[in-house]
């Protein structure tokens, strides 16, 4: 079946191989990933999404929804790439503390809208990450230690199912699909909108303090002390940085949600380590959450890997503190725990994470660096041995991994049953399908 008919079926733009703008439209935010898709449709509304899914079912090809492509994994040749970035509406009900957003909304815009009412969502560290993909994979927020996974804050999804029919999914109306969509990925339906809880933001204190690499041992020891008994309102990340053409550096990033003075006091111990290169700690607006890490907001070539750490034991200390960072640019450890570790009877598919820390390794995905970056990642992971659990959050999977790395056997089997029941022909395809 020709994809040309899509031009008459949708209001949005349809791009096919050979069209001038096709290559750019098919390229994800992570430009190291290639996507040789059969067509790109930039949906104008939910009706366009339904038309694309219906066409995909008739043509026998998968439809892959991708607002931005931050977590693109490749492996979607001959698919219809469904861009939902234009579905970016945001409504805030301050009285009920609820946000209603379209599938293309990004976290920076949501935080700005919520922050105007003294509220926050469970946003991540980058303001241009799409709310939908992040949440479908669980969503690890700066405020997760206080409130849990972003996916567990969802009240309802607006979807288009594998037959092209629109529906609203809640715990009451469709509990199995609702469970799967909250952390199980986007393999079950195309989400066109979400409704989720917002939380009070009486204050936000945070920022980054960076020191010369010679201070690494001191900074890591402080990180261990801070996170051993940190309140749920506080999240702290440790970094060893090796930026191109720069000396080694070490940093702590932190965010405290609550009283500003309490936040300032919780991070006062950082002042004991002298020689800081930069110190951006201060009061932040909810909309400025992304300023803490100042991550790239333009498409970038990156190679990453994440592992959940069972403890900061001797193997972790030795591996993280000794040896070079390069050819990576960042060896990072995030403190987890708190509400993220709590089993919720009404929770979604991602479930609790018992591991107290997450290791994140980041390198540039430039052609001349790829082999060295991948080699260094393997070297670090191999050295950690039993200090890593083997499981990892869905949204931190690499293109080489599968959904089986994110879920235990029982959860994966349940997700597979839902997929077979809701989409037996495999019309809808996620970055990491729950079925092989």
């Amino acid at each position: 079946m020709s994809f040309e008919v899509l031009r008459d079926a949708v209001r949005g733009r349809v791009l096919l191989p050979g069209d001038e703008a096709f290559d750019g439209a098919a390229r994800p935010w992570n430009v190291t990933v290639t996507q040789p898709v059969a067509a790109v449709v930039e949906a104008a509304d939910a009706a366009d999404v339904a038309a694309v899914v219906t066409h995909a079912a008739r043509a026998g090809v998968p439809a892959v929804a991708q607002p931005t492509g931050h977590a693109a994994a490749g492996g979607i040749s001959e698919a219809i790439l469904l861009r939902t970035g234009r579905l970016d509406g945001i409504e805030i009900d301050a009285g009920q503390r609820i946000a209603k957003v379209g599938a293309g909304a990004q976290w920076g815009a949501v935080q700005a809208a919520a922050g105007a009412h003294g509220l926050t969502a469970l946003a991540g560290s980058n303001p241009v990450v799409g709310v939908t993909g992040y949440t479908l994979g669980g969503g690890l927020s700066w405020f997760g230690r206080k409130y849990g996974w972003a996916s567990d804050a969802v009240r309802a999804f607006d979807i288009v199912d594998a037959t092209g029919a629109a529906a609203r999914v809640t715990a009451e109306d469709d509990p199995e699909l609702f469970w799967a969509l909250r952390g199980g990925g986007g393999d079950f339906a195309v989400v066109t909108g979400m409704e989720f809880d917002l939380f009070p933001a009486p204050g936000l204190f945070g920022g980054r303090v960076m020191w010369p690499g010679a201070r690494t041992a001191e900074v890591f020891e402080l990180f261990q002390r801070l996170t051993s008994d940190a309140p749920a309102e506080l999240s702290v990340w440790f970094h060893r940085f090796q930026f191109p053409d720069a000396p080694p550096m070490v940093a702590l990033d932190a965010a405290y949600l609550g009283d500003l003075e309490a936040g300032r006091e919780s991070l006062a111990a950082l002042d004991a380590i002298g020689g800081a290169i930069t110190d951006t700690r201060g009061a932040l607006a909810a909309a400025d959450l992304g300023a803490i890490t100042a991550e790239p907001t333009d498409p970038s070539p990156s190679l990453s890997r994440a592992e959940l750490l069972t403890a900061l034991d001797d193997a972790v200390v030795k591996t993280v503190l000794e040896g070079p960072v390069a050819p990576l640019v960042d060896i990072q450890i995030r403190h987890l725990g708190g509400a993220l570790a709590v089993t919720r009877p009404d929770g979604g598919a991602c479930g609790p994470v018992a591991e107290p820390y997450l290791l994140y390794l980041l390198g540039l995905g430039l052609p001349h660096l790829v082999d060295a970056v991948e080699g260094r990642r393997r070297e670090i992971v191999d050295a950690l041995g039993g200090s890593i659990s083997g499981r990892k959050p869905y949204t931190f999977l690499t293109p080489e991994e599968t959904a089986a790395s994110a879920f235990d056997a029982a959860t994966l089997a349940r997700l597979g049953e839902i997929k077979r029941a809701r989409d037996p022909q495999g019309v809808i395809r996620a970055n990491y399908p729950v079925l092989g």
Side-chain angles (χ1 to χ4, degrees):
M1 182 179 290
S2 170
F3 294 104
E4 287 284 351
V5 299
L6 282 170
R7 299 189 196 275
D8 296 324
V10 302
R11 293 176 54 236
R13 186 168 67 156
V14 176
L15 295 164
L16 303 177
D19 291 344
E20 182 177 354
F22 176 81
D23 289 343
R27 187 177 300 120
W29 191 92
N30 184 355
V31 298
T32 61
V33 176
T34 58
Q35 300 191 137
V37 295
V40 179
V41 178
E42 297 171 345
D45 50 29
D48 276 4
V49 173
V52 169
V53 173
T54 299
H55 180 87
R58 291 173 180 169
V61 299
V64 179
Q66 196 177 90
T68 65
H70 275 78
I76 56 172
S77 60
E78 303 309 312
I80 301 174
L81 185 61
L82 181 55
R83 294 289 193 193
T84 53
R86 291 175 61 183
L87 282 67
D88 59 356
I90 299 170
E91 298 179 21
I92 303 296
D93 184 333
Q96 296 295 315
R97 296 204 301 229
I98 294 172
K100 298 178 182 179
V101 307
Q106 297 181 357
W107 275 122
V110 172
Q111 285 296 96
H117 301 281
L119 300 170
T120 184
L122 300 185
S125 57
N126 192 314
V128 300
V129 165
V131 174
T132 301
Y134 166 97
T135 305
L136 289 173
L140 182 57
S141 171
W142 274 116
F143 312 133
R145 286 176 34 76
K146 176 68 174 177
Y147 293 113
W149 295 104
S151 56
D152 285 333
V154 177
R155 293 188 173 203
F157 295 93
D158 295 319
I159 67 156
V160 170
D161 69 18
T163 71
R168 184 169 174 82
V169 178
T170 67
E172 294 75 25
D173 299 330
D174 195 340
E176 277 294 279
L177 184 55
F178 185 66
W179 172 84
L181 290 172
R182 291 194 302 158
D187 211 24
F188 314 96
V190 177
V191 172
T192 58
M194 293 192 306
E195 180 179 310
F196 51 84
D197 289 326
L198 299 172
F199 300 90
L204 174 59
F205 186 89
R208 167 176 290 171
V209 183
M210 186 179 294
W211 297 267
R215 299 285 193 176
T216 297
E218 294 173 78
V219 175
F220 190 77
E221 182 182 355
L222 176 57
F223 174 71
Q224 290 177 294
R225 293 205 314 269
L226 283 174
T227 58
S228 65
D229 61 355
E233 292 81 3
L234 176 66
S235 291
V236 185
W237 299 1
F238 169 88
H239 300 265
R240 282 186 70 197
F241 286 124
Q242 182 63 73
F243 299 116
D245 302 319
M249 289 176 277
V250 62
L252 292 180
D253 294 339
Y256 183 97
L257 183 65
D259 178 74
L260 291 178
E261 283 308 308
R264 197 182 310 275
E265 285 181 24
S266 72
L267 296 173
L270 277 64
D271 297 328
I273 301 177
I277 299 169
T278 61
D279 184 349
T280 66
R281 285 176 295 171
L284 294 170
D288 296 329
L289 190 63
I292 295 175
T293 57
E295 296 171 5
T297 54
D298 293 325
S300 303
S302 64
L303 292 171
S304 62
R305 179 164 177 170
E307 299 288 347
L308 289 169
L309 299 173
T310 56
L312 296 184
D313 57 21
D314 291 343
V316 173
V317 174
K318 179 179 176 61
T319 303
V320 169
L321 299 193
E322 297 181 8
V325 176
L328 303 177
V329 296
D330 188 10
I331 297 176
Q332 175 192 126
I333 298 179
R334 304 185 186 189
H335 186 208
L336 304 178
L340 293 166
V342 175
T343 300
R344 299 168 56 119
D346 62 343
C350 58
V353 56
E355 298 87 345
Y357 297 93
L358 180 139
L359 173 74
Y360 185 70
L361 307 173
L362 178 66
L364 296 176
L366 300 174
H368 67 287
L369 293 175
V370 168
D371 289 345
V373 168
E374 292 179 343
R376 182 67 176 130
R377 291 189 314 184
R378 286 193 300 270
E379 184 179 52
I380 291 172
V381 171
D382 289 347
L384 289 171
S387 300
I388 59 177
S389 68
R391 181 199 168 194
K392 51 199 68 183
Y394 184 94
T395 51
F396 286 87
L397 296 174
T398 68
E400 299 80 28
E401 294 169 329
T402 69
S405 297
F407 306 106
D408 60 37
T411 300
L412 190 64
R414 182 178 174 187
L415 291 170
E417 291 174 2
I418 295 169
K419 175 66 174 178
R420 282 186 286 269
R422 305 305 178 110
D423 185 16
Q425 303 305 314
V427 176
I428 294 166
R429 176 78 179 272
N431 287 326
Y432 301 97
V434 297
L435 297 177

